[in-house]
Amino acid sequence: MEAKPTDLADGADGDGPLRVQVRPKATGDEAALRKLLEVVAAEMGSALGARMLRRPWFLLLLGCGFTLLATSSRSLLLPLLVLALFLAVGRPALAHAWALYAHQDMSLGLRAPGAPGFRFWVAEDTDGSVVGMVGVSGIGKSGDGELELRSLAVSHEHRGHGVGRALCQAVLAFARGSPGCRVVVLDTHMLHSPAQRLFSSLGFHPGPTCLQPTLSGFLADLPVTRYHYSLTGNRTEDNSPAGED
């Protein structure tokens, strides 16, 4: 796909349109993409860690531990101190663990340049700084004619200006030109509500919601929704506000 500049919504400072270029990932992009994914994964890890702390099973476990300590020590001071220490240390630890998990998942296919079945695009601003990325997997697989959009990430200061939209459109354009491809799919969860609005406005349709079939999915009780975009007869126009990412 040939890289071309794209005018997006007005910049945050209001001095004109934000101009980005969406192009295929190049060899020299690895360091910038690694930094971008670390920031996005840390945000996701913090949100997932906070959600896990609010799960009923976790609160029950915490309550049982507090009761056991209060009974054995015959004082409320010790269990309160232990609880405060646990929350002070445990929450950042949970956030870090979830961030590592998210980073590993989003980095799939990036670690081996030219990994078969993967393709990535980046968005860069006029200064040449990478401000977003997106990937697609399933290239070359036969049978279902399905490509998966994955690893969509936009730097915090560039969100809300259509960078994510431009990246998704690059994936859809690639899919339309891929022989045998009939549908583009992606998985997202309830913590990605702005992204879900973007996907819907682009013509993606949500399927059934189910719990992620992993230990992490069970612990966080995080339902995942698979969206699909049919390439046969889909003529959905971009009908969302320009500033929506």
Side-chain angles (χ1 to χ4, degrees):
M1 177 181 175
E2 182 182 355
K4 66 176 184 178
T6 305
D7 287 327
L8 302 178
D10 286 347
D13 53 8
D15 60 356
L18 180 66
R19 194 169 178 82
V20 300
Q21 174 178 274
V22 175
R23 58 168 176 79
K25 181 183 78 70
T27 304
D29 294 327
E30 280 78 7
L33 293 180
R34 187 162 53 248
K35 182 178 180 180
L36 174 64
L37 286 181
E38 285 174 357
V39 173
V40 173
E43 293 174 352
M44 191 179 303
S46 179
L48 287 170
R51 177 177 175 82
M52 185 172 169
L53 289 177
R54 296 193 296 268
R55 294 300 89 202
W57 67 266
F58 187 86
L59 295 176
L60 178 62
L61 185 63
L62 205 61
C64 290
F66 182 87
T67 302
L68 182 62
L69 279 173
T71 302
S72 60
S73 65
R74 298 181 181 180
S75 169
L76 289 178
L77 181 60
L78 177 61
L80 284 174
L81 288 174
V82 172
L83 179 61
L85 179 63
F86 178 79
L87 291 177
V89 176
R91 180 166 180 171
L94 281 174
H96 181 66
W98 279 111
L100 290 177
Y101 173 82
H103 189 276
Q104 182 180 23
D105 180 65
M106 296 182 73
S107 299
L108 190 64
L110 273 176
R111 298 175 181 176
F118 290 87
R119 184 75 62 88
F120 293 90
W121 292 263
V122 301
E124 62 179 11
D125 60 15
T126 53
D127 296 330
S129 302
V130 173
V131 299
M133 66 164 288
V134 72
V136 66
S137 63
I139 301 171
K141 292 184 179 179
S142 59
D144 53 11
E146 181 178 286
L147 293 179
E148 181 180 2
L149 187 152
R150 55 178 296 111
S151 305
L152 176 63
V154 178
S155 63
H156 183 76
E157 59 271 20
H158 289 84
R159 294 173 192 170
H161 298 295
V163 177
R165 179 176 304 280
L167 288 164
C168 289
Q169 288 170 337
V171 170
L172 295 178
F174 173 80
R176 293 188 186 99
S178 300
C181 181
R182 297 182 295 103
V183 63
V184 179
V185 301
L186 61 91
D187 292 324
T188 184
H189 51 70
M190 61 188 300
L191 298 179
H192 290 156
S193 54
Q196 290 177 349
R197 292 194 296 270
L198 165 63
F199 301 141
S200 295
S201 71
L202 286 169
F204 284 86
H205 299 283
T209 297
C210 61
L211 194 65
Q212 190 174 8
T214 61
L215 177 61
S216 58
F218 169 76
L219 292 176
D221 187 23
L222 196 63
V224 174
T225 303
R226 168 152 286 203
Y227 280 69
H228 65 276
Y229 180 100
S230 175
L231 296 173
T232 56
N234 196 327
R235 295 293 183 268
T236 301
E237 297 294 333
D238 184 353
N239 54 13
S240 72
E244 186 175 315
D245 213 6

